[in-house]
PDB file of all heavy atoms in Angstrom:
ATOM      1  N   ARG A   4      91.411 118.010 103.454  1.00 59.00           N
ATOM      2  CA  ARG A   4      91.397 116.562 103.225  1.00 59.00           C
ATOM      3  C   ARG A   4      90.007 116.014 103.545  1.00 59.00           C
ATOM      4  O   ARG A   4      89.425 116.336 104.575  1.00 59.00           O
ATOM      5  CB  ARG A   4      92.421 115.883 104.121  1.00 59.00           C
ATOM      6  CG  ARG A   4      92.552 114.426 103.729  1.00 59.00           C
ATOM      7  CD  ARG A   4      93.387 113.617 104.679  1.00 59.00           C
ATOM      8  NE  ARG A   4      94.496 114.303 105.260  1.00 59.00           N
ATOM      9  CZ  ARG A   4      94.971 113.975 106.462  1.00 59.00           C
ATOM     10  NH1 ARG A   4      94.413 113.022 107.170  1.00 59.00           N
ATOM     11  NH2 ARG A   4      95.996 114.608 106.959  1.00 59.00           N
ATOM     12  N   VAL A  50      83.465  96.980 146.043  1.00 96.00           N
ATOM     13  CA  VAL A  50      82.691  98.165 145.680  1.00 96.00           C
ATOM     14  C   VAL A  50      81.193  97.856 145.647  1.00 96.00           C
ATOM     15  O   VAL A  50      80.368  98.653 146.100  1.00 96.00           O
ATOM     16  CB  VAL A  50      83.178  98.674 144.298  1.00 96.00           C
ATOM     17  CG1 VAL A  50      82.243  99.722 143.737  1.00 96.00           C
ATOM     18  CG2 VAL A  50      84.595  99.232 144.423  1.00 96.00           C
ATOM     19  N   ALA A  62      78.580 102.999 126.248  1.00 96.00           N
ATOM     20  CA  ALA A  62      78.126 101.609 126.414  1.00 96.00           C
ATOM     21  C   ALA A  62      78.197 100.739 125.160  1.00 96.00           C
ATOM     22  O   ALA A  62      78.269  99.519 125.261  1.00 96.00           O
ATOM     23  CB  ALA A  62      76.708 101.592 126.969  1.00 96.00           C
ATOM     24  N   LEU A  70      78.382  91.578 131.346  1.00 94.00           N
ATOM     25  CA  LEU A  70      79.217  90.741 132.208  1.00 94.00           C
ATOM     26  C   LEU A  70      79.068  91.148 133.678  1.00 94.00           C
ATOM     27  O   LEU A  70      78.951  90.294 134.569  1.00 94.00           O
ATOM     28  CB  LEU A  70      80.686  90.861 131.763  1.00 94.00           C
ATOM     29  CG  LEU A  70      81.674  89.903 132.411  1.00 94.00           C
ATOM     30  CD1 LEU A  70      81.279  88.453 132.171  1.00 94.00           C
ATOM     31  CD2 LEU A  70      83.090  90.140 131.884  1.00 94.00           C
ATOM     32  N   GLY A  76      75.259  90.659 139.750  1.00 95.00           N
ATOM     33  CA  GLY A  76      73.825  90.776 139.983  1.00 95.00           C
ATOM     34  C   GLY A  76      73.367  92.202 140.280  1.00 95.00           C
ATOM     35  O   GLY A  76      72.404  92.400 141.021  1.00 95.00           O
ATOM     36  N   ALA A  85      75.781 107.228 120.122  1.00 93.00           N
ATOM     37  CA  ALA A  85      75.284 106.654 118.862  1.00 93.00           C
ATOM     38  C   ALA A  85      74.364 105.468 119.144  1.00 93.00           C
ATOM     39  O   ALA A  85      74.331 104.948 120.254  1.00 93.00           O
ATOM     40  CB  ALA A  85      76.463 106.203 118.008  1.00 93.00           C
ATOM     41  N   GLY A 105      74.821 104.589 145.504  1.00 44.00           N
ATOM     42  CA  GLY A 105      75.952 105.244 146.160  1.00 44.00           C
ATOM     43  C   GLY A 105      75.702 106.734 146.288  1.00 44.00           C
ATOM     44  O   GLY A 105      74.743 107.268 145.745  1.00 44.00           O
ATOM     45  N   VAL A 112      81.679 101.549 134.983  1.00 98.00           N
ATOM     46  CA  VAL A 112      82.503 100.491 134.401  1.00 98.00           C
ATOM     47  C   VAL A 112      82.473 100.740 132.908  1.00 98.00           C
ATOM     48  O   VAL A 112      81.396 100.735 132.293  1.00 98.00           O
ATOM     49  CB  VAL A 112      81.927  99.089 134.706  1.00 98.00           C
ATOM     50  CG1 VAL A 112      82.812  98.008 134.099  1.00 98.00           C
ATOM     51  CG2 VAL A 112      81.794  98.882 136.213  1.00 98.00           C
ATOM     52  N   HIS A 121      96.875 113.697 117.763  1.00 86.00           N
ATOM     53  CA  HIS A 121      97.643 113.704 116.510  1.00 86.00           C
ATOM     54  C   HIS A 121      97.120 112.659 115.533  1.00 86.00           C
ATOM     55  O   HIS A 121      97.125 112.869 114.333  1.00 86.00           O
ATOM     56  CB  HIS A 121      99.143 113.539 116.774  1.00 86.00           C
ATOM     57  CG  HIS A 121      99.514 112.200 117.332  1.00 86.00           C
ATOM     58  ND1 HIS A 121      99.677 111.102 116.537  1.00 86.00           N
ATOM     59  CD2 HIS A 121      99.715 111.793 118.603  1.00 86.00           C
ATOM     60  CE1 HIS A 121      99.976 110.071 117.313  1.00 86.00           C
ATOM     61  NE2 HIS A 121      99.996 110.460 118.561  1.00 86.00           N
ATOM     62  N   ASP A 130      87.883 116.991 112.331  1.00 82.00           N
ATOM     63  CA  ASP A 130      86.689 117.852 112.401  1.00 82.00           C
ATOM     64  C   ASP A 130      85.642 117.272 113.349  1.00 82.00           C
ATOM     65  O   ASP A 130      84.865 117.997 113.955  1.00 82.00           O
ATOM     66  CB  ASP A 130      86.058 118.010 111.013  1.00 82.00           C
ATOM     67  CG  ASP A 130      86.951 118.845 110.109  1.00 82.00           C
ATOM     68  OD1 ASP A 130      87.950 119.384 110.633  1.00 82.00           O
ATOM     69  OD2 ASP A 130      86.662 118.935 108.899  1.00 82.00           O
ATOM     70  N   VAL A 162      88.723 100.350 131.081  1.00 95.00           N
ATOM     71  CA  VAL A 162      89.685  99.671 130.218  1.00 95.00           C
ATOM     72  C   VAL A 162      90.280 100.750 129.318  1.00 95.00           C
ATOM     73  O   VAL A 162      89.557 101.365 128.532  1.00 95.00           O
ATOM     74  CB  VAL A 162      88.990  98.587 129.368  1.00 95.00           C
ATOM     75  CG1 VAL A 162      90.003  97.856 128.496  1.00 95.00           C
ATOM     76  CG2 VAL A 162      88.248  97.595 130.254  1.00 95.00           C
ATOM     77  N   GLN A 244     129.489 112.701 128.982  1.00 93.00           N
ATOM     78  CA  GLN A 244     128.696 113.028 127.805  1.00 93.00           C
ATOM     79  C   GLN A 244     128.250 111.750 127.079  1.00 93.00           C
ATOM     80  O   GLN A 244     129.053 110.838 126.853  1.00 93.00           O
ATOM     81  CB  GLN A 244     129.570 113.885 126.872  1.00 93.00           C
ATOM     82  CG  GLN A 244     128.781 114.572 125.786  1.00 93.00           C
ATOM     83  CD  GLN A 244     129.692 115.129 124.703  1.00 93.00           C
ATOM     84  OE1 GLN A 244     130.890 114.869 124.665  1.00 93.00           O
ATOM     85  NE2 GLN A 244     129.086 115.893 123.797  1.00 93.00           N
ATOM     86  N   ILE A 245     126.971 111.689 126.767  1.00 94.00           N
ATOM     87  CA  ILE A 245     126.441 110.572 125.969  1.00 94.00           C
ATOM     88  C   ILE A 245     125.798 111.203 124.733  1.00 94.00           C
ATOM     89  O   ILE A 245     124.918 112.048 124.862  1.00 94.00           O
ATOM     90  CB  ILE A 245     125.379 109.775 126.756  1.00 94.00           C
ATOM     91  CG1 ILE A 245     125.943 109.303 128.102  1.00 94.00           C
ATOM     92  CG2 ILE A 245     124.880 108.588 125.936  1.00 94.00           C
ATOM     93  CD1 ILE A 245     124.888 108.713 129.039  1.00 94.00           C
ATOM     94  N   GLY A 252     128.809 106.725 116.033  1.00 96.00           N
ATOM     95  CA  GLY A 252     128.736 106.167 117.381  1.00 96.00           C
ATOM     96  C   GLY A 252     129.197 104.710 117.416  1.00 96.00           C
ATOM     97  O   GLY A 252     128.895 103.936 116.512  1.00 96.00           O
ATOM     98  N   GLY A 273     129.300  98.223 117.946  1.00 94.00           N
ATOM     99  CA  GLY A 273     129.557  98.309 116.502  1.00 94.00           C
ATOM    100  C   GLY A 273     128.275  98.287 115.681  1.00 94.00           C
ATOM    101  O   GLY A 273     127.197  98.626 116.166  1.00 94.00           O
ATOM    102  N   LYS A 333     105.305  88.214 116.813  1.00 84.00           N
ATOM    103  CA  LYS A 333     104.807  86.964 116.212  1.00 84.00           C
ATOM    104  C   LYS A 333     104.587  85.872 117.239  1.00 84.00           C
ATOM    105  O   LYS A 333     103.807  84.946 117.040  1.00 84.00           O
ATOM    106  CB  LYS A 333     105.830  86.455 115.187  1.00 84.00           C
ATOM    107  CG  LYS A 333     105.656  87.025 113.812  1.00 84.00           C
ATOM    108  CD  LYS A 333     106.592  86.251 112.890  1.00 84.00           C
ATOM    109  CE  LYS A 333     106.533  86.763 111.480  1.00 84.00           C
ATOM    110  NZ  LYS A 333     107.694  86.260 110.731  1.00 84.00           N
TER     111      LYS A 333
END
Side-chain angles (χ1 to χ4, degrees):
R4 189 189 325 152
V50 169
L70 189 58
V112 181
H121 67 82
D130 290 353
V162 182
Q244 194 194 9
I245 305 170
K333 273 189 182 164

